[in-house]
Amino acid sequence: MNTVSNRIANLAESETLAMSQKSNELKAQGIDVINLSVGEPDFFTPPHIKEAAKKAIDDNFSFYTPVTGYLSLRKAICEKLKNENGLDFKPSQIVCSNGAKQSVCNAVLSVVNPGDEVIIPTPAWVSYTEMVKLAEGKVVTVLAGIEQNFKITPAQLEAAITPQTKAIILCSPSNPTGSIYSKDELEGLVNVLAKYPKIIIIADEIYEHINYVGKNESLAQFENIRDRVVIINGVSKAYAMTGWRLGWMAAPQWIADACNKLQGQYTSGPSSIAQKAAEAAYTGSQECVKEMQQAFQRRRDLVVKLASEIEGLKVNVPDGAFYLFPECSYYFGKSYNGRAVHNSGDLAMFLLEEGHVASVGGAAFGAPDYIRFSYATSDENIIEAFRRVKETLAKLK
Ligand code: PMP
Ligand code: GLU
């Protein structure tokens, strides 16, 4: 019998995308579902970025691009890193890819050998673990619950490091928790990492601009680890461009070279049109980024207020991204109409089928007592969704 490779058989399906698809299927059946599952801005891509893409088509940007992206785009990214983050990178250190998802995966595949350990502060985005599995690495989770605002401590980090540790993937602002490490908190972790010069630090900063507490602090600013930090970023979240598929990494030259080689055999450079659009995003006015950030902040306040009024949900105040990650174990073991809820996956399904609100169970993020709601949707949708969540959860006895 034909069978898929063990590599694929062992890979979990992306639960964020699966829940979103399920919600779209119900919608197609005419059911009015509010989708708080997938994390993507609900805004349209700003007009000046769309214009740049149209112009790129008319100007015949229709040929293969360099594997790591057009030089003009990589220069624009270097300018962004200089002006916004105070960081010096050369264009040769930038690798543009089909979304930040590919950038993270490129980084992992470039440095992880079979059996190497990769530390993942958890709760963590669903795809990190699977990427490490693809590279035949071993995931080492370091847990931080709501009582520590989902942030690991230097002592926890140090305890997880072994001679096999090859990399750490740190996401701040975090998906799924919205937590942000302050400069002092990062410094605490950096002081530990400085003692272990073989560890590569993958810093996923894709939510950089969706930050409600001030400027984002990049892990690459610390001189004592700077030469082994890989910054991951892209246009999906800051510029509402999830479908354009354009992400990038800024990396030590040897890692950028490795990704160039990998990508050259695997996908080639990303879409020429998306690259020209991204260039316009980085070189044009940043007003649109600020406007969207302000809308997300208003929604954050709304969602925290509404979720806090629901019995049994333990809620913190996220500092960034567009996710709320309440603890929900109060509902485990309860049932309604003969349907029992044993875990957060069951709870997410119950909310979807009974309340018509799509969310994602925490287990996919390594935190089974939690549930994720993306609030990247209108105030109106948020209000109605949390009305339904409250009403639906109240049925569980
Ligand atoms: N990292 C994190 C933490 C994310 O939430 C996402 C969301 N998709 C990505 C990376 C990938 O983004 P992109 O759409 O650019 O692939
Ligand atoms: N990152 C978003 C999320 O977590 C988009 C879906 C995905 O790529 O996982 O929902």
Side-chain angles (χ1 to χ4, degrees), residues 16-17 38-40 97-104 124-128 131 171-176 204-207 232-237 241-248 321-323 365 372:
T16 47
L17 299 181
V38 74
E40 67 174 339
S97 301
N98 299 293
K101 190 176 256 182
Q102 187 184 10
S103 305
V104 180
W125 182 40
V126 291
S127 296
Y128 297 151
M131 290 170 180
C171 182
S172 176
S174 157
N175 176 2
D204 188 342
E205 300 178 357
I206 187 90
Y207 294 97
I232 306 291
N233 209 327
V235 293
S236 285
K237 316 287 170 172
M241 293 176 70
T242 46
W244 295 78
R245 309 311 301 132
L246 202 290
W248 49 267
F322 34 61
Y323 305 106
F365 306 95
R372 190 188 80 172

Side-chain angles (χ1 to χ4, degrees), residues 135-319:
E136 297 178 52
K138 189 169 159 238
V139 172
V140 176
T141 27
V142 179
L143 284 171
I146 198 165
E147 67 292 344
Q148 57 189 88
N149 225 348
F150 302 111
K151 292 188 263 192
I152 66 163
T153 63
Q156 281 183 293
L157 172 60
E158 186 132 36
I161 293 174
T162 76
Q164 281 71 49
T165 308
K166 188 59 194 275
I168 174 171
I169 310 178
L170 193 86
C171 182
S172 176
S174 157
N175 176 2
T177 67
S179 289
I180 298 182
Y181 286 84
S182 68
K183 188 171 178 183
D184 281 354
E185 287 163 342
L186 286 181
E187 200 159 18
L189 302 179
V190 166
N191 289 338
V192 173
L193 292 166
K195 293 192 259 175
Y196 303 90
K198 284 210 243 137
I199 300 178
I200 305 301
I201 299 136
I202 302 173
D204 188 342
E205 300 178 357
I206 187 90
Y207 294 97
E208 171 182 19
H209 289 294
I210 306 170
N211 178 325
Y212 317 128
V213 288
K215 187 179 141 305
N216 203 56
E217 300 291 346
S218 175
L219 261 173
Q221 73 184 286
F222 299 96
E223 282 305 323
N224 50 352
I225 56 160
R226 168 78 210 275
D227 60 347
R228 44 198 174 98
V229 175
V230 180
I231 297 178
I232 306 291
N233 209 327
V235 293
S236 285
K237 316 287 170 172
Y239 300 94
M241 293 176 70
T242 46
W244 295 78
R245 309 311 301 132
L246 202 290
W248 49 267
M249 70 162 63
Q253 193 62 57
W254 65 275
I255 294 180
D257 291 345
C259 293
N260 187 350
K261 189 159 78 166
L262 172 64
Q263 201 161 280
Q265 292 291 18
Y266 195 45
T267 56
S268 302
S271 149
S272 54
I273 309 304
Q275 287 189 51
K276 293 313 272 183
E279 194 179 319
Y282 286 120
T283 54
S285 162
Q286 301 302 300
E287 209 42 46
C288 55
V289 177
K290 217 159 82 207
E291 279 168 20
M292 289 189 270
Q293 185 269 353
Q294 283 164 357
F296 286 130
Q297 182 155 358
R298 201 186 57 242
R299 294 163 177 184
R300 187 274 312 260
D301 294 343
L302 179 62
V303 97
V304 166
K305 176 180 167 291
L306 296 175
S308 302
E309 290 166 0
I310 298 176
E311 187 184 15
L313 291 187
K314 224 183 273 166
V315 175
N316 74 335
V317 180
D319 287 334

